[in-house]
Amino acid sequence: MLLLANNEAWPGFETSVQMLRDGAVSLDAMVAGIGMVEKEVKVRSVGYGGWPNMLGEMEFDAGVMDGNTREVGSVGAVPRTLAVAALAHQVMKRLPHVMLTGEGAQRFASEIGFAEDKVLFEDSRRVWGERLQQELTPQQLAKFPNIDLAPLSRTITDPERVRDTTVFLSADARRGIHAATSTSGWAWKYPGRLGDSPIPGAGFYADSRYGAAACTHTGEMTMRCATARTVVLAMKLGRSLSDAVALAVEELAELDTGFLAGVVIHAVDAEQNHEVVNFRCEGEVRYWLWKDSMPAPVLRTAKRVTRK
Ligand code: GLY
């Protein structure tokens, strides 16, 4: 058995490990761990600790995929619920749909008994307010929010403030291979912007016959390349795990227009090998790994890959 997650998973990783040790269903274990990340204010890219959109409103994205059935649940731009990985899991379990967004997702959350949460952390609100004061003219500030926001996506939107997302992958010979994600997305994003974390095939994908992948950082690139699906499909077509990830990196590297920055790909195969590569993200990128042969989880450094 193996559990893999990115650095931001620290508040919940051990809970997921313990639940897996105790025999929990893999997605239940990962969703419970992510729930702890979503509540942790020190994680500045997921849940309560995340950053708001341009209007100062929180919008959360999440996705889950059951690699045994290839069923998916996802939610995007959820305004008032922190536990969005759990909400995505319920979309998968209860609805004939794959994805709900915005007020529809919020309505579903209320119908099934999720609380409406306090979602905007005071420090995030303060930094957002300061940013507006710096970037907007006095005329724009006087009219805000009744101004065109699109030009601001070139000035105040700040993907670098968000280093991450949280992604969890599990692989077990008996329970299968599964994926779960959650994020608050880019700081000061345009309202309604979805990242890759709720998009099956881009931010996550799992197929128990071959493996799974999940991405962090620049969703605007992985959505264009269907990165998570590329990794799993390449394994289906016979590539090894590392060759499959290399193909996905090659596709990201071919992009030469639009918003380009770093991507981290986390991937596992059906033999419970894993690969985590850092393509163009600055600094050291770490991830959590636990196998049932290990007494405790370990924090490792992602392989840096360079392309033109
Ligand atoms: N990968 C997270 C995002 O683009 O929002």
Side-chain angles (χ1 to χ4, degrees):
M1 185 189 306
L2 170 153
L3 184 68
L4 179 71
N6 68 324
N7 187 46
E8 309 292 86
W10 62 267
F13 195 76
E14 294 220 15
T15 295
S16 299
V17 166
Q18 194 53 51
M19 286 180 70
L20 288 172
R21 277 192 207 277
D22 293 344
V25 171
S26 306
L27 275 177
D28 290 348
M30 294 196 289
V31 165
I34 292 182
M36 299 177 79
V37 184
E38 288 161 337
K39 284 188 203 144
E40 174 54 67
V41 81
K42 294 198 200 86
V43 176
R44 302 309 305 262
S45 59
V46 179
Y48 190 50
W51 302 102
N53 66 18
M54 280 183 201
L55 297 176
E57 298 163 348
M58 299 303 294
E59 291 181 320
F60 304 106
D61 303 338
V64 300
M65 183 158 186
D66 181 326
N68 293 338
T69 59
R70 277 163 282 145
E71 288 177 296
V72 170
S74 86
V75 291
V78 181
R80 295 180 300 281
T81 290
L82 291 176
V84 281
L87 187 61
H89 199 192
Q90 293 302 319
V91 169
M92 188 186 94
K93 286 180 169 174
R94 296 183 190 232
L95 294 178
H97 307 310
V98 162
M99 187 183 299
L100 294 181
T101 62
E103 287 300 332
Q106 194 64 56
R107 180 191 174 106
F108 175 66
S110 301
E111 280 182 20
I112 64 172
F114 280 52
E116 289 211 357
D117 297 310
K118 177 173 181 288
V119 292
L120 183 58
F121 178 38
E122 181 51 32
D123 184 62
S124 301
R125 198 201 62 73
R126 178 187 62 75
V127 176
W128 165 78
E130 287 173 3
R131 187 80 193 223
L132 283 194
Q133 293 290 332
Q134 278 162 16
E135 296 293 339
L136 269 54
T137 64
Q139 293 77 8
Q140 285 175 311
L141 282 171
K143 285 197 211 156
F144 190 83
N146 299 317
I147 60 172
D148 287 348
L149 298 179
L152 302 182
S153 65
R154 302 266 166 210
T155 54
I156 77 164
T157 300
D158 187 359
E160 295 307 321
R161 182 171 289 277
V162 169
R163 305 296 310 163
D164 254 312
T165 288
T166 196
V167 298
F168 281 54
L169 299 175
S170 63
D172 177 72
R174 187 173 48 84
R175 284 178 273 197
I177 301 177
H178 311 283
T181 67
S182 180
T183 189
S184 54
W186 285 18
W188 339 134
K189 61 194 172 185
Y190 196 99
R193 176 264 183 187
L194 297 185
D196 59 340
S197 304
I199 309 297
F204 65 99
Y205 198 81
D207 183 328
S208 298
R209 297 169 297 177
Y210 310 108
C215 305
T216 63
H217 293 71
T218 314
E220 272 63 5
M221 293 170 68
T222 63
M223 286 189 277
R224 293 167 68 192
C225 295
T227 299
R229 173 66 176 147
T230 296
V231 172
V232 178
L233 182 62
M235 289 193 279
K236 178 174 182 171
L237 296 176
R239 290 206 181 208
S240 68
L241 174 65
S242 63
D243 285 352
V245 173
L247 175 66
V249 169
E250 198 179 305
E251 296 209 318
L252 292 167
E254 284 165 5
L255 299 177
D256 60 5
T257 60
F259 187 89
L260 303 176
V263 169
V264 182
I265 303 174
H266 307 72
V268 298
D269 69 13
E271 280 71 51
Q272 298 179 36
N273 301 302
H274 75 281
E275 179 96 347
V276 181
V277 301
N278 166 3
F279 174 59
R280 282 198 199 134
C281 291
E282 280 172 23
E284 202 165 71
V285 170
R286 296 200 170 152
Y287 66 93
W288 291 100
L289 175 70
W290 174 76
K291 293 183 179 187
D292 48 5
S293 55
M294 293 176 168
V298 290
L299 192 57
R300 294 209 176 152
T301 301
K303 278 187 219 168
R304 183 176 284 284
V305 291
T306 46
R307 295 281 188 290
K308 272 200 299 165

